[in-house]
């Protein structure tokens, strides 16, 4: 399964562009609407999709994605329905990498082994569990790797040289670099500082590095695309969907995709 990520990054490298990684929250504003957007994102230029698993206490997310999670849960979205959404997506798209992003509590409640087996069978390529640091890799990591699921890790400006090797040790798929301290969708990073951090990470790892947090416009995305392997956009897309519907979200995606060329 993880070959989809490897293949997509290789394709982007051949085309001399960064990968556009788009985040949407499963079930926001409702199941059918989010599935429709999910199915159309690749055609609008999304290279990799992060599908958010809504949770009632998403502490790393800013107000936009918190509100999306509330809307999704209020509309009856569950872990089971999120996996159903992945299966529906895979019925028509076998090539776009899809990563489930979220928090450990809903997975623990579902049953870790059952969740991983069903995620693999549905066509998930990787997991990014925000509150499951590298130090707790044994919670999901061994089982996930046995199934071929990538465990994507996060690094940030506060990840020092002593901790970075632990973060990288069992990471696969790509490394998600948080461009600034705080929550998603708030603030803007200093590009020079991010570029220096990516250079330091690359001295220790060959993993693709995707930069996220605070990327809202094609102009901001283009600045990161010059040095990052990929650029993650979430809050801006969720907001576009909420305020302007599917058409607005897809228009933003097309604009962001055009900014990936180096």
């Amino acid at each position: 399964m993880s070959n989809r990520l490897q293949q997509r990054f290789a394709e982007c490298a051949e085309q001399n562009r960064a990968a556009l990684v788009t985040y949407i929250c499963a079930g926001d504003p409702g199941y059918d609407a989010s599935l429709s957007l999910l199915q159309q994102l690749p055609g609008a230029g999304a290279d990799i999709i992060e599908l958010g698993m809504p949770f009632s206490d998403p502490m790393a997310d800013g107000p936009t994605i918190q509100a999306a999670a509330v809307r999704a849960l209020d509309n009856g979205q569950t872990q089971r329905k999120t996996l159903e959404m992945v299966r529906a997506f895979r019925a028509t798209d076998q090539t776009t990498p899809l990563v489930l992003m979220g928090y450990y509590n809903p997975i623990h409640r579902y049953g870790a082994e059952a969740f991983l087996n069903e995620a693999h069978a549905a066509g998930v390529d990787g997991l990014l569990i925000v509150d499951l640091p590298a130090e707790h890799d044994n919670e999901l990591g061994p089982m996930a790797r046995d199934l071929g699921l990538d465990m994507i890790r996060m690094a940030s400006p506060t990840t020092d040289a002593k901790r970075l090797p632990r973060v990288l040790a069992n990471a696969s798929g790509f490394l998600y670099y948080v461009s600034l301290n705080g929550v998603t969708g708030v603030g803007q990073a200093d590009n020079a500082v991010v570029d220096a951090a990516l250079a330091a990470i690359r001295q220790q790892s060959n993993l693709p590095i995707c930069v996220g947090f605070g990327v809202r416009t094609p102009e901001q995305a283009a600045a990161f695309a010059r040095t990052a392997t990929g650029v993650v956009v979430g809050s801006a897309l969720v907001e576009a969907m909420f305020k302007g519907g599917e058409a607005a979200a897809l228009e933003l995606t097309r604009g962001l995709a055009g900014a990936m060329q180096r």
Side-chain angles (χ1 to χ4, degrees):
M1 287 294 185
S2 61
N3 287 338
R4 286 194 193 100
L5 281 166
Q6 295 165 5
Q7 180 66 29
R8 185 51 50 91
F9 285 125
E11 290 167 0
C12 291
E14 287 171 8
Q15 296 163 14
N16 195 31
R17 63 184 179 87
L20 174 61
V21 185
T22 56
Y23 169 95
I24 63 170
C25 181
D28 174 45
Y31 181 92
D32 292 340
S34 62
L35 175 58
S36 178
L37 178 58
L38 176 65
Q39 291 169 327
Q40 294 182 77
L41 281 171
D47 293 299
I48 298 166
I49 297 172
E50 287 182 1
L51 184 62
M53 300 178 286
F55 176 49
S56 57
D57 186 25
M59 71 277 196
D61 292 304
T64 298
I65 293 178
Q66 284 188 19
V70 170
R71 289 192 297 268
L73 292 170
D74 284 350
N75 284 321
Q77 189 70 16
T78 62
Q79 290 288 87
R80 196 169 299 283
K81 284 188 175 181
T82 299
L83 293 171
E84 285 175 13
M85 193 174 290
V86 176
R87 285 191 288 272
F89 176 73
R90 283 285 174 239
T92 57
D93 188 319
Q94 285 290 321
T95 58
T96 303
L98 190 148
V99 172
L100 290 180
M101 182 174 184
Y103 298 82
Y104 185 52
N105 181 279
I107 295 172
H108 180 69
R109 288 186 63 191
Y110 196 93
E113 187 174 357
F115 174 80
L116 290 172
N117 280 312
E118 290 178 37
H120 170 258
V124 171
D125 297 290
L127 301 171
L128 203 174
I129 310 304
V130 180
D131 57 348
L132 196 66
E135 289 80 0
H136 294 279
D137 177 72
N138 63 334
E139 295 285 342
L140 292 178
M143 284 188 292
R145 284 187 287 276
D146 284 347
L147 291 166
L149 291 168
D150 283 314
M151 290 299 292
I152 295 155
R153 299 297 181 199
M154 304 181 86
S156 74
T158 60
T159 305
D160 60 23
K162 183 179 178 182
R163 184 165 184 268
L164 183 60
R166 289 205 299 272
V167 172
L168 295 171
N170 289 303
S172 61
F174 62 88
L175 182 73
Y176 188 127
Y177 185 76
V178 177
S179 66
L180 43 79
N181 293 320
V183 294
T184 57
V186 179
Q188 185 174 347
D190 182 318
N191 291 94
V193 173
V194 172
D195 289 349
L198 300 194
I201 293 168
R202 287 188 171 119
Q203 291 179 353
Q204 299 190 45
S205 174
N206 292 321
L207 270 181
I209 308 173
C210 297
V211 176
F213 278 51
V215 184
R216 303 192 63 82
T217 66
E219 292 74 24
Q220 290 171 340
F224 286 138
R226 287 195 292 271
T227 52
T229 320
V231 181
V232 186
V233 182
S235 295
L237 266 177
V238 171
E239 190 173 284
M241 179 69 170
F242 179 64
K243 291 183 175 178
E246 188 178 90
L250 293 172
E251 182 181 1
L252 175 59
T253 302
R254 284 188 284 269
L256 291 163
M260 292 297 101
Q261 201 70 38
R262 295 193 176 107

